[in-house]
Amino acid sequence: MLDEMVFRTDALPAADRFDYWVELLGRIHAPMELRSDYTDDFRASQRVLDLGDVTVWSATHQPLAFRRTPKLIRQSDPETYHLSLLVEGTGAGEWRHRETEYKPHDLLVTSTSLPNDIRSTGGPVTIIALETPKALLPLPRDTAQRIVGAPLSAREGMGALLARFLTQLTADTTAYQPSDGPRLGTVLNDLVAALFAHLLEAGDCLPPESHRQALTLRIQAFIREHLHDPHLTPATIAAAHHISTSYLHRLFRDEDATVAAWIRRLRLEAARRDLTDPALHAVPLHAIAVRWGFPRATDFSRAYRAAYGTTPKDHRHQALHGHK
Protein backbone atom coordinates (compact mmCIF):
# COMPACT_ATOMS: atom_id res chain seq x y z
CA MET A 1 0.00 0.00 0.00
CA LEU A 2 1.25 3.50 -0.77
CA ASP A 3 2.12 5.96 1.97
CA GLU A 4 -1.00 8.00 2.61
CA MET A 5 -2.67 10.26 5.15
CA VAL A 6 -6.38 10.84 5.75
CA PHE A 7 -7.85 14.05 7.19
CA ARG A 8 -11.49 14.53 8.23
CA THR A 9 -13.18 17.46 9.88
CA ASP A 10 -15.92 15.34 11.48
CA ALA A 11 -13.41 14.15 14.08
CA LEU A 12 -13.40 17.67 15.56
CA PRO A 13 -15.99 19.85 17.32
CA ALA A 14 -18.15 21.67 14.77
CA ALA A 15 -16.84 25.11 15.77
CA ASP A 16 -13.22 24.08 15.07
CA ARG A 17 -13.68 22.37 11.73
CA PHE A 18 -13.30 25.25 9.29
CA ASP A 19 -10.22 26.74 10.98
CA TYR A 20 -8.66 23.28 10.99
CA TRP A 21 -9.28 22.96 7.25
CA VAL A 22 -7.75 26.36 6.53
CA GLU A 23 -4.64 25.45 8.50
CA LEU A 24 -4.42 21.99 6.90
CA LEU A 25 -4.58 23.24 3.31
CA GLY A 26 -2.05 25.96 4.03
CA ARG A 27 0.35 23.41 5.48
CA ILE A 28 -0.08 20.66 2.87
CA HIS A 29 -0.45 22.84 -0.23
CA ALA A 30 0.00 26.61 0.09
CA PRO A 31 -1.42 29.39 2.29
CA MET A 32 -4.82 30.55 1.02
CA GLU A 33 -7.73 32.71 2.04
CA LEU A 34 -10.74 30.41 2.40
CA ARG A 35 -14.39 31.44 2.51
CA SER A 36 -17.52 29.34 2.98
CA ASP A 37 -21.17 29.68 3.97
CA TYR A 38 -20.74 26.55 6.10
CA THR A 39 -18.08 27.68 8.58
CA ASP A 40 -20.28 26.82 11.59
CA ASP A 41 -20.10 23.10 10.77
CA PHE A 42 -17.73 22.56 7.85
CA ARG A 43 -17.62 19.02 6.44
CA ALA A 44 -14.58 17.93 4.46
CA SER A 45 -12.24 15.00 4.02
CA GLN A 46 -8.98 14.50 2.16
CA ARG A 47 -6.77 11.50 1.40
CA VAL A 48 -3.17 12.38 0.47
CA LEU A 49 -0.76 10.01 -1.34
CA ASP A 50 2.99 10.59 -1.18
CA LEU A 51 4.56 9.82 -4.58
CA GLY A 52 7.98 11.36 -4.03
CA ASP A 53 8.18 14.69 -5.84
CA VAL A 54 4.52 14.42 -6.83
CA THR A 55 1.59 14.52 -4.39
CA VAL A 56 -1.85 13.10 -5.26
CA TRP A 57 -5.03 13.43 -3.25
CA SER A 58 -8.78 12.99 -3.36
CA ALA A 59 -11.05 15.33 -1.43
CA THR A 60 -14.72 16.03 -0.78
CA HIS A 61 -15.86 19.27 0.81
CA GLN A 62 -18.79 21.61 1.15
CA PRO A 63 -18.92 24.69 -1.12
CA LEU A 64 -15.75 26.69 -0.61
CA ALA A 65 -13.77 29.56 -2.14
CA PHE A 66 -9.95 29.52 -2.37
CA ARG A 67 -7.95 32.69 -2.94
CA ARG A 68 -4.22 33.13 -3.51
CA THR A 69 -3.25 36.77 -3.25
CA PRO A 70 0.03 38.48 -4.26
CA LYS A 71 0.76 39.00 -0.55
CA LEU A 72 0.34 35.29 0.24
CA ILE A 73 2.51 34.38 -2.74
CA ARG A 74 5.28 36.67 -1.50
CA GLN A 75 5.02 35.14 1.97
CA SER A 76 5.11 31.52 0.82
CA ASP A 77 5.31 29.93 -2.62
CA PRO A 78 6.06 26.20 -2.88
CA GLU A 79 6.31 26.77 -6.67
CA THR A 80 4.08 23.94 -7.83
CA TYR A 81 1.53 23.29 -10.54
CA HIS A 82 -1.81 22.00 -9.28
CA LEU A 83 -4.12 19.94 -11.50
CA SER A 84 -7.62 19.06 -10.26
CA LEU A 85 -10.08 16.64 -11.85
CA LEU A 86 -13.61 17.71 -10.93
CA VAL A 87 -15.61 14.54 -10.17
CA GLU A 88 -18.73 16.07 -8.61
CA GLY A 89 -19.97 19.65 -8.29
CA THR A 90 -19.34 22.82 -10.29
CA GLY A 91 -16.99 25.73 -9.92
CA ALA A 92 -15.42 28.84 -11.39
CA GLY A 93 -11.98 30.39 -11.39
CA GLU A 94 -10.65 33.90 -11.94
CA TRP A 95 -7.12 34.94 -12.86
CA ARG A 96 -5.80 38.24 -14.10
CA HIS A 97 -5.79 36.88 -17.65
CA ARG A 98 -9.00 34.77 -17.77
CA GLU A 99 -12.19 33.51 -16.15
CA THR A 100 -13.29 29.89 -16.50
CA GLU A 101 -16.24 27.79 -15.34
CA TYR A 102 -15.86 24.13 -14.45
CA LYS A 103 -18.15 21.10 -14.45
CA PRO A 104 -17.67 17.36 -13.80
CA HIS A 105 -14.99 15.77 -16.01
CA ASP A 106 -13.13 19.06 -16.39
CA LEU A 107 -9.48 19.54 -15.45
CA LEU A 108 -8.36 22.70 -13.67
CA VAL A 109 -4.71 23.80 -13.90
CA THR A 110 -3.38 26.35 -11.41
CA SER A 111 -0.01 27.61 -10.24
CA THR A 112 0.90 28.57 -6.68
CA SER A 113 2.88 31.48 -8.15
CA LEU A 114 -0.11 33.18 -9.82
CA PRO A 115 -2.95 34.97 -7.97
CA ASN A 116 -6.35 33.30 -8.33
CA ASP A 117 -9.85 33.11 -6.91
CA ILE A 118 -11.46 29.67 -7.29
CA ARG A 119 -14.86 28.75 -5.86
CA SER A 120 -17.48 26.02 -5.92
CA THR A 121 -20.79 27.20 -7.28
CA GLY A 122 -23.16 24.38 -6.33
CA GLY A 123 -23.35 21.63 -3.75
CA PRO A 124 -20.49 19.60 -2.26
CA VAL A 125 -17.43 19.11 -4.45
CA THR A 126 -15.34 15.99 -5.03
CA ILE A 127 -11.97 16.27 -6.76
CA ILE A 128 -8.94 14.14 -7.53
CA ALA A 129 -5.81 16.27 -7.79
CA LEU A 130 -2.06 16.31 -8.04
CA GLU A 131 0.76 18.75 -7.39
CA THR A 132 4.11 18.65 -9.15
CA PRO A 133 7.11 20.97 -8.68
CA LYS A 134 7.51 23.64 -11.33
CA ALA A 135 11.22 22.75 -11.44
CA LEU A 136 10.27 19.45 -13.11
CA LEU A 137 8.23 21.29 -15.76
CA PRO A 138 10.21 24.48 -16.44
CA LEU A 139 7.96 27.01 -18.17
CA PRO A 140 8.54 30.76 -18.50
CA ARG A 141 5.97 32.78 -16.56
CA ASP A 142 4.23 34.08 -19.68
CA THR A 143 3.99 30.55 -21.07
CA ALA A 144 2.59 29.19 -17.80
CA GLN A 145 -0.18 31.77 -17.98
CA ARG A 146 -1.35 30.21 -21.24
CA ILE A 147 -1.91 26.91 -19.41
CA VAL A 148 -3.20 28.08 -16.02
CA GLY A 149 -6.97 28.33 -16.01
CA ALA A 150 -7.34 27.04 -19.57
CA PRO A 151 -10.55 24.99 -20.00
CA LEU A 152 -9.62 21.35 -20.47
CA SER A 153 -11.87 18.30 -20.81
CA ALA A 154 -10.98 15.00 -19.16
CA ARG A 155 -13.25 13.10 -21.54
CA GLU A 156 -10.81 12.85 -24.44
CA GLY A 157 -7.18 13.00 -25.49
CA MET A 158 -4.38 13.78 -23.05
CA GLY A 159 -6.84 15.01 -20.43
CA ALA A 160 -8.68 11.68 -20.44
CA LEU A 161 -5.41 9.75 -20.19
CA LEU A 162 -4.34 11.70 -17.11
CA ALA A 163 -7.82 11.49 -15.57
CA ARG A 164 -8.00 7.70 -15.98
CA PHE A 165 -4.59 7.27 -14.37
CA LEU A 166 -5.54 9.46 -11.39
CA THR A 167 -8.92 7.78 -10.97
CA GLN A 168 -7.50 4.27 -11.05
CA LEU A 169 -4.61 5.16 -8.75
CA THR A 170 -6.80 6.70 -6.04
CA ALA A 171 -9.52 4.02 -6.29
CA ASP A 172 -7.30 1.31 -4.77
CA THR A 173 -3.70 1.58 -3.58
CA THR A 174 -3.46 -1.85 -1.96
CA ALA A 175 -1.69 -3.35 -4.99
CA TYR A 176 1.27 -0.99 -4.60
CA GLN A 177 4.25 -0.87 -2.25
CA PRO A 178 5.51 2.39 -0.71
CA SER A 179 8.59 2.08 -2.95
CA ASP A 180 6.28 2.27 -5.99
CA GLY A 181 5.35 5.84 -5.05
CA PRO A 182 8.26 7.69 -6.72
CA ARG A 183 7.85 5.56 -9.87
CA LEU A 184 4.17 6.41 -10.09
CA GLY A 185 5.06 10.05 -9.48
CA THR A 186 7.47 9.96 -12.43
CA VAL A 187 4.74 8.54 -14.69
CA LEU A 188 2.31 11.23 -13.58
CA ASN A 189 4.83 13.99 -14.14
CA ASP A 190 5.45 12.73 -17.68
CA LEU A 191 1.69 12.72 -18.33
CA VAL A 192 1.45 16.30 -17.08
CA ALA A 193 4.38 17.32 -19.32
CA ALA A 194 2.64 15.72 -22.30
CA LEU A 195 -0.61 17.47 -21.40
CA PHE A 196 1.11 20.86 -21.16
CA ALA A 197 2.85 20.27 -24.49
CA HIS A 198 -0.52 19.43 -26.06
CA LEU A 199 -2.08 22.62 -24.69
CA LEU A 200 0.77 24.79 -25.95
CA GLU A 201 0.59 23.23 -29.42
CA ALA A 202 -3.20 23.43 -29.68
CA GLY A 203 -3.36 26.64 -31.73
CA ASP A 204 -1.39 28.16 -34.57
CA CYS A 205 -1.96 31.58 -33.03
CA LEU A 206 0.51 30.87 -30.25
CA PRO A 207 3.81 32.73 -30.44
CA PRO A 208 6.96 30.83 -31.50
CA GLU A 209 8.26 30.73 -27.91
CA SER A 210 5.22 28.73 -26.77
CA HIS A 211 5.70 26.19 -29.55
CA ARG A 212 9.39 26.03 -28.66
CA GLN A 213 8.58 25.33 -25.01
CA ALA A 214 6.03 22.67 -25.99
CA LEU A 215 8.67 20.93 -28.09
CA THR A 216 11.12 21.07 -25.18
CA LEU A 217 8.54 19.44 -22.88
CA ARG A 218 7.89 16.69 -25.43
CA ILE A 219 11.60 16.05 -25.80
CA GLN A 220 12.09 15.89 -22.03
CA ALA A 221 9.25 13.37 -21.74
CA PHE A 222 10.80 11.37 -24.61
CA ILE A 223 14.15 11.30 -22.80
CA ARG A 224 12.54 10.03 -19.59
CA GLU A 225 10.78 7.27 -21.50
CA HIS A 226 14.01 6.12 -23.18
CA LEU A 227 16.56 6.41 -20.38
CA HIS A 228 17.11 2.66 -20.55
CA ASP A 229 18.36 2.90 -24.14
CA PRO A 230 22.18 3.13 -24.21
CA HIS A 231 21.92 4.63 -27.71
CA LEU A 232 19.94 7.62 -26.47
CA THR A 233 22.08 10.54 -27.65
CA PRO A 234 21.48 14.11 -28.80
CA ALA A 235 21.63 12.86 -32.39
CA THR A 236 18.98 10.15 -31.92
CA ILE A 237 16.74 12.52 -29.94
CA ALA A 238 16.97 15.18 -32.64
CA ALA A 239 16.22 12.64 -35.37
CA ALA A 240 13.16 11.33 -33.48
CA HIS A 241 11.75 14.87 -33.35
CA HIS A 242 12.76 15.86 -36.90
CA ILE A 243 15.05 18.68 -35.82
CA SER A 244 18.77 19.27 -36.13
CA THR A 245 21.16 18.46 -33.30
CA SER A 246 22.23 22.09 -33.14
CA TYR A 247 18.60 23.19 -32.67
CA LEU A 248 18.18 20.59 -29.93
CA HIS A 249 21.14 22.10 -28.10
CA ARG A 250 19.61 25.57 -28.48
CA LEU A 251 16.36 24.30 -26.91
CA PHE A 252 18.33 23.17 -23.86
CA ARG A 253 20.38 26.34 -23.63
CA ASP A 254 18.11 27.67 -20.86
CA GLU A 255 18.32 24.43 -18.86
CA ASP A 256 20.88 23.89 -16.14
CA ALA A 257 22.85 21.34 -18.20
CA THR A 258 23.65 20.24 -21.73
CA VAL A 259 21.46 17.56 -23.33
CA ALA A 260 24.00 14.82 -22.58
CA ALA A 261 24.45 16.01 -19.00
CA TRP A 262 20.66 16.18 -18.53
CA ILE A 263 20.34 12.56 -19.71
CA ARG A 264 23.17 11.43 -17.44
CA ARG A 265 21.67 13.19 -14.42
CA LEU A 266 18.26 11.59 -14.92
CA ARG A 267 19.84 8.17 -15.37
CA LEU A 268 21.90 8.53 -12.21
CA GLU A 269 18.88 9.75 -10.22
CA ALA A 270 16.86 6.74 -11.39
CA ALA A 271 19.71 4.34 -10.57
CA ARG A 272 20.11 5.96 -7.16
CA ARG A 273 16.41 5.39 -6.39
CA ASP A 274 16.76 1.72 -7.30
CA LEU A 275 19.96 1.24 -5.32
CA THR A 276 18.37 2.63 -2.16
CA ASP A 277 15.07 0.74 -2.62
CA PRO A 278 14.82 -2.17 -0.12
CA ALA A 279 12.53 -4.03 -2.51
CA LEU A 280 15.38 -4.19 -5.06
CA HIS A 281 18.18 -5.18 -2.68
CA ALA A 282 18.75 -8.50 -4.50
CA VAL A 283 19.01 -6.96 -7.98
CA PRO A 284 22.68 -6.95 -9.05
CA LEU A 285 24.42 -3.62 -9.50
CA HIS A 286 25.15 -4.28 -13.16
CA ALA A 287 21.46 -5.01 -13.82
CA ILE A 288 20.47 -1.65 -12.36
CA ALA A 289 23.18 0.04 -14.40
CA VAL A 290 21.96 -1.57 -17.63
CA ARG A 291 18.34 -0.78 -16.77
CA TRP A 292 19.21 2.93 -16.78
CA GLY A 293 21.38 3.07 -19.87
CA PHE A 294 24.85 2.22 -18.51
CA PRO A 295 25.94 -0.98 -20.31
CA ARG A 296 29.53 -0.66 -19.01
CA ALA A 297 29.94 -1.09 -15.24
CA THR A 298 33.08 1.06 -15.17
CA ASP A 299 31.29 3.98 -16.84
CA PHE A 300 28.44 3.67 -14.35
CA SER A 301 30.73 3.57 -11.33
CA ARG A 302 32.79 6.53 -12.56
CA ALA A 303 29.72 8.68 -13.26
CA TYR A 304 28.11 7.70 -9.97
CA ARG A 305 31.18 8.60 -7.94
CA ALA A 306 31.48 11.93 -9.74
CA ALA A 307 27.85 12.75 -8.97
CA TYR A 308 27.51 11.46 -5.41
CA GLY A 309 31.05 11.11 -4.07
CA THR A 310 30.76 7.36 -3.46
CA THR A 311 30.51 4.12 -5.42
CA PRO A 312 27.16 2.50 -6.22
CA LYS A 313 28.05 -0.48 -4.02
CA ASP A 314 28.98 1.64 -1.00
CA HIS A 315 25.95 3.91 -1.42
CA ARG A 316 23.59 0.92 -1.52
CA HIS A 317 25.20 -0.66 1.54
CA GLN A 318 25.02 2.59 3.51
CA ALA A 319 21.39 3.22 2.53
CA LEU A 320 20.18 -0.30 3.26
CA HIS A 321 22.38 -1.26 6.20
CA GLY A 322 23.80 1.95 7.62
CA HIS A 323 21.00 2.25 10.19
CA LYS A 324 21.73 -1.14 11.72
Side-chain angles (χ1 to χ4, degrees), residues 1-4 49-56 131-133 136 165 169 176-191 224 227 266 269-280 292:
M1 187 171 180
L2 297 173
D3 291 331
E4 62 179 68
L49 306 179
D50 181 3
L51 304 182
D53 290 327
V54 177
T55 302
V56 169
E131 279 184 346
T132 186
L136 297 181
F165 192 100
L169 176 62
Y176 305 105
Q177 300 294 328
S179 57
D180 290 324
R183 303 182 190 112
L184 292 168
T186 297
V187 173
L188 275 170
N189 196 70
D190 287 345
L191 287 174
R224 290 189 177 95
L227 285 177
L266 291 182
E269 289 174 353
R272 186 170 183 258
R273 287 195 299 269
D274 283 0
L275 288 171
T276 56
D277 186 345
L280 302 178
W292 296 113

Side-chain angles (χ1 to χ4, degrees), residues 34-96:
L34 268 61
R35 309 183 303 277
S36 176
D37 294 332
Y38 299 86
T39 56
D40 292 340
D41 184 11
F42 188 71
R43 303 299 179 99
S45 63
Q46 186 177 48
R47 179 165 152 257
V48 182
L49 306 179
D50 181 3
L51 304 182
D53 290 327
V54 177
T55 302
V56 169
W57 71 93
S58 56
T60 299
H61 56 78
Q62 289 177 302
L64 187 64
F66 308 82
R67 189 169 181 236
R68 281 279 285 169
T69 65
K71 181 179 179 181
L72 288 173
I73 293 170
R74 289 193 299 270
Q75 290 175 351
S76 175
D77 183 6
E79 297 191 351
T80 59
Y81 289 114
H82 173 129
L83 289 85
S84 297
L85 169 65
L86 192 57
V87 179
E88 294 181 1
T90 56
E94 294 182 13
W95 292 263
R96 289 175 177 171

Side-chain angles (χ1 to χ4, degrees), residues 92-235:
E94 294 182 13
W95 292 263
R96 289 175 177 171
H97 61 295
R98 65 162 50 97
E99 297 182 12
T100 309
E101 295 184 350
Y102 300 95
K103 59 186 183 302
H105 304 291
D106 281 350
L107 277 167
L108 165 66
V109 182
T110 64
S111 164
T112 58
S113 304
L114 296 175
N116 62 55
D117 196 333
I118 301 167
R119 58 196 179 279
S120 3
T121 55
V125 170
T126 297
I127 64 168
I128 302 173
L130 70 86
E131 279 184 346
T132 186
K134 293 168 62 177
L136 297 181
L137 297 166
L139 291 174
R141 184 182 180 89
D142 58 340
T143 304
Q145 287 179 341
R146 299 180 182 277
I147 293 174
V148 169
L152 177 64
S153 173
R155 295 183 182 273
E156 59 186 10
M158 296 303 305
L161 187 62
L162 177 60
R164 283 197 296 270
F165 192 100
L166 285 172
T167 301
Q168 182 177 348
L169 176 62
T170 54
D172 182 9
T173 64
T174 58
Y176 305 105
Q177 300 294 328
S179 57
D180 290 324
R183 303 182 190 112
L184 292 168
T186 297
V187 173
L188 275 170
N189 196 70
D190 287 345
L191 287 174
V192 173
L195 175 65
F196 283 7
H198 170 78
L199 287 174
L200 291 172
E201 292 175 330
D204 292 336
C205 61
L206 294 182
E209 177 59 29
S210 294
H211 289 291
R212 181 178 180 273
Q213 191 61 42
L215 177 59
T216 303
L217 286 173
R218 281 199 290 112
I219 290 172
Q220 290 173 346
F222 177 87
I223 290 173
R224 290 189 177 95
E225 292 170 5
H226 294 82
L227 285 177
H228 64 280
D229 184 357
H231 302 295
L232 182 69
T233 64

